């Protein structure tokens, strides 16, 4: 147990205490200036020219990516226009097929009418021929018997005036009825011939319409093929631009990484310099404390008394890191997820798509059971009215209202000067359901206002 100062050996105890404090201060100084706060060797310090060159390279790559991005955006815009053109041609092909079917139906009916009229005319001609034969026989018999109408013998052979009068009345009656019958049959023959001529004319017109529709379909198919080829070419250009852009972006990322790496090296070097300055300052302070403790007071105490705990580093906080309308919509919504199939869909539901010789064939639409845009509308509105399988005819199938007045259940159309190429059903709230294009499915989309027609078509209310 240590003696209390003033009792036993107070001065020796005080001296030992001073020596112990001095040893602690020296140990603390050695600890502070030793491995505990030793500054690590300096990291690499890239030159300003290196930093400038890396930034310039990154900026150049960024500019190149920007240019390619603009080119890609323009190419994608052209591709979208070509896609619209393809959709338009496909809808025109739909129109041609609707027209062709109508012309074929009209031609078939005209043929039936012409055949019926010809049969009636042939029957009338047979009856008239039979009437002529009967009349010829009558005239011949009357002549042979001397009772020809207007013949003197028919009267001279009479045995008395009464007999002569009776014979004259009989001949007049029989002759008049025969001639009247002949005239009536001739009129009937003329009427039947006129009907036959009208039927033949109707048949000619129907066949002309059928030929025109077939030619229109051929033109539409040719135009569609041209658009498809252009789209394929544009798609190839897009693919190349995408590849070029990806390559340049990789070079951009490498340049940015290099620039960032050099900048990071510079920052780490600057941090090292700041840390070294702080450590030098701390070393100087500890040295000053150590020098002060070597000069004790008259009682053998160090000049500073108890040095207290070693200084603490301060950590700065980091920076803040309708009723029927509803039925129509329900029918359409019930088809969500079904595949797009060009030419598919009727009033009973989805049907197998048809060949188009282009885009639809490449997507295998003719093997799919689904809808195209106008086919979906046919199914949705089947309980309201029958619609043709062509969006252009559907556009004029009801009351047209400005888009500012469109409401749930209206049909929205897309097209331009060349015609209409797409139709969708408005759901309200800026949403619509559509069968967009080959490779897609029936889905709900936001209303697109690019290329939209100025009117919606309303079939209900």
């Amino acid at each position: 147990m240590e003696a209390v100062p003033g009792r036993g050996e107070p001065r020796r105890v005080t001296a030992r205490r001073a020596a112990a404090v001095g040893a602690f201060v020296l140990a603390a100084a050695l600890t502070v200036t030793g491995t505990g706060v030793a500054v690590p060797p300096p990291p690499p310090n890239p030159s300003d020219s290196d930093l400038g060159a890396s930034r310039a390279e990154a900026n150049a790559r960024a500019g190149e990516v920007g240019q390619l991005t603009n080119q890609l955006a323009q190419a994608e815009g052209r591709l979208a226009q070509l896609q619209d053109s393809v959709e338009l041609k496909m809808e025109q092909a739909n129109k041609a097929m609707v027209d062709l079917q109508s012309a074929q139906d009209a031609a078939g009916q005209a043929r039936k009418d012409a055949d019926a009229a010809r049969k009636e005319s042939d029957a009338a001609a047979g009856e008239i021929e039979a009437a002529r034969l009967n009349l010829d026989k009558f005239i011949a018999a009357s002549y042979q018997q001397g009772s020809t109408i207007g013949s003197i013998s028919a009267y001279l052979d009479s045995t008395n005036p009464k007999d002569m009068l009776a014979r004259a009345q009989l001949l007049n009656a029989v002759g008049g009825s025969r001639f009247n019958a002949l005239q009536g049959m001739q009129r009937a023959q003329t009427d039947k011939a006129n009907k036959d001529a009208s039927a033949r004319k109707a048949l000619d017109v129907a066949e002309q319409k059928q030929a025109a529709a077939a030619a229109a379909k051929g033109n539409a198919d040719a135009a569609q093929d041209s658009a498809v080829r252009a789209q394929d070419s544009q798609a190839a250009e897009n693919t190349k631009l995408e590849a070029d852009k990806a390559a340049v972006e990789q070079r951009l990322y490498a340049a940015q990484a290099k620039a960032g790496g050099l900048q990071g090296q510079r920052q780490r070097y600057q941090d090292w310099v700041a840390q070294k300055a702080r450590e030098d300052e701390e070393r100087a302070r500890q040295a000053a404390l150590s020098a002060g403790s070597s000069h004790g007071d008259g009682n053998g105490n160090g000049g500073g008394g108890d040095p207290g705990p070693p200084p603490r580093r301060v950590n700065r906080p980091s920076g803040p890191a309708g009723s029927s309308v509803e039925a129509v919509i329900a029918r359409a919504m019930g088809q969500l997820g079904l595949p797009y199939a060009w030419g598919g869909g009727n009033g009973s539901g989805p049907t197998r798509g048809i060949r188009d010789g282009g885009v639809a064939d490449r997507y295998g639409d003719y093997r799919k059971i689904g809808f195209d845009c106008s086919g979906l509308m046919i199914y949705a509105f089947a309980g309201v009215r029958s619609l043709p399988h062509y969006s252009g005819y559907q556009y004029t199938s009801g009351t047209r209202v400005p888009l500012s007045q469109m409401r749930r259940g209206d049909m929205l159309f897309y097209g331009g000067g060349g015609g209409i190429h797409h139709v969708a059903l408005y759901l309200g709230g800026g949403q619509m359901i559509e069968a967009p294009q080959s490779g897609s499915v029936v889905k709900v989309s936001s209303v697109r206002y690019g290329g939209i027609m100025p009117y919606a078509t309303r079939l209900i209310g």
Side-chain angles (χ1 to χ4, degrees):
M1 180 176 181
E2 186 179 38
V4 178
R7 296 181 183 180
E9 301 176 320
R11 193 165 294 280
R12 277 200 304 273
V13 170
T14 302
R16 285 199 302 272
R17 179 180 295 171
V21 170
F24 172 78
V25 170
L26 178 60
L30 290 173
T31 301
V32 170
T33 58
T35 59
V37 292
V39 178
N45 180 26
S47 66
D48 291 341
S49 61
D50 289 340
L51 287 171
S54 65
R55 292 193 192 100
E57 182 181 2
N59 290 337
R61 293 288 180 263
E64 190 174 353
V65 169
Q67 291 176 358
L68 282 173
T69 300
N70 289 336
Q71 293 177 20
L72 183 62
Q74 293 173 1
E76 287 174 344
R78 292 194 298 272
L79 188 62
Q81 291 176 351
L82 286 170
Q83 179 63 40
D84 288 346
S85 175
V86 170
E87 290 178 2
L88 174 60
K89 299 304 180 186
M90 294 177 76
E91 277 302 284
Q92 287 176 341
N94 262 340
K95 175 182 181 296
M97 286 189 291
V98 170
D99 292 344
L100 179 60
Q101 185 61 51
S102 298
Q104 288 174 338
D105 292 343
Q109 185 60 47
R111 289 191 189 94
K112 291 179 181 179
D113 293 343
D115 290 342
R118 190 172 296 108
K119 289 179 180 178
E120 292 178 1
S121 180
D122 292 343
E127 292 176 2
I128 291 171
E129 186 62 26
R132 282 202 187 98
L133 291 174
N134 290 334
L135 186 58
D136 290 343
K137 290 178 182 179
F138 172 75
I139 293 174
S142 298
Y143 179 77
Q144 291 172 357
Q145 296 172 3
S147 58
T148 304
I149 298 172
S151 173
I152 295 296
S153 62
Y155 299 95
L156 294 179
D157 290 344
S158 301
T159 57
N160 56 56
K162 183 178 179 180
D163 182 45
M164 183 178 67
L165 180 60
R167 182 174 292 191
Q169 289 176 342
L170 176 61
L171 290 174
N172 285 335
V174 173
S177 63
R178 290 290 183 176
F179 282 121
N180 289 338
L182 178 59
Q183 291 175 354
M185 289 182 181
Q186 287 175 338
R187 284 195 300 269
Q189 185 182 33
T190 301
D191 290 341
K192 299 305 181 187
N194 290 337
K195 290 181 180 179
D196 193 15
S198 297
R200 284 197 302 271
K201 182 177 180 181
L203 180 59
D204 290 342
V205 171
E207 289 176 343
Q208 290 173 4
K209 289 183 178 179
Q210 181 174 340
K217 185 179 185 304
N219 292 337
D221 290 344
Q224 179 185 332
D225 290 341
S226 175
V228 168
R229 288 193 296 272
Q231 186 188 40
D232 289 342
S233 174
Q234 185 65 35
E237 180 184 350
N238 261 31
T239 301
K240 182 178 183 302
L241 281 173
E242 287 278 12
D244 291 345
K245 180 185 175 187
V248 174
E249 282 178 341
Q250 289 299 321
R251 294 198 296 272
L252 169 65
Y253 298 151
Q256 287 174 335
K258 179 180 178 181
L262 292 178
Q263 186 63 45
Q265 289 180 10
R266 170 62 65 87
Q267 184 61 48
R268 286 192 294 275
Y269 178 80
Q270 291 173 345
D271 292 343
W272 179 86
V273 170
Q275 180 185 3
K276 185 175 184 304
R278 288 194 300 271
E279 298 299 346
D280 288 346
E281 181 182 354
E282 179 69 14
R283 190 177 293 107
R285 192 180 75 82
Q286 293 296 341
L289 286 175
S290 177
S293 66
S294 63
H295 302 286
D297 57 13
N299 295 323
N301 295 322
D306 189 353
R312 292 184 301 108
R313 292 183 181 180
V314 177
N315 293 325
R316 296 180 180 178
S318 59
S323 65
S324 56
V325 166
E326 296 308 315
V328 167
I329 290 176
R331 283 174 67 86
M333 293 293 287
Q335 310 309 306
L336 284 173
L338 281 180
Y340 177 97
W342 184 67
N346 59 26
S348 300
T351 64
R352 189 177 300 277
I354 59 179
R355 291 183 178 273
D356 74 329
V359 176
D361 286 2
R362 288 204 299 276
Y363 280 96
D365 286 12
Y366 58 90
R367 295 192 300 268
K368 298 177 181 177
I369 305 294
F371 295 93
D372 63 8
C373 62
S374 49
L376 181 62
M377 299 301 106
I378 291 173
Y379 176 72
F381 286 96
V384 179
R385 60 166 299 178
S386 177
L387 291 174
H389 206 141
Y390 169 50
S391 57
Y393 289 155
Q394 292 179 359
Y395 186 50
T396 58
S397 62
T399 302
R400 283 191 281 182
V401 296
L403 290 179
S404 59
Q405 300 175 19
M406 67 182 181
R407 67 188 187 199
R408 186 172 167 87
D410 290 347
M411 288 188 289
L412 305 179
F413 295 84
Y414 294 83
I420 293 173
H421 60 76
H422 188 56
V423 58
L425 181 63
Y426 185 53
L427 303 176
Q431 300 291 303
M432 63 184 185
I433 182 170
E434 61 176 342
Q437 60 191 17
S438 294
S440 186
V441 297
V442 176
K443 63 181 182 178
V444 173
S445 308
S446 297
V447 174
R448 300 180 296 275
Y449 287 93
I452 195 169
M453 298 300 288
Y455 295 97
T457 298
R458 182 171 300 161
L459 296 183
I460 304 172

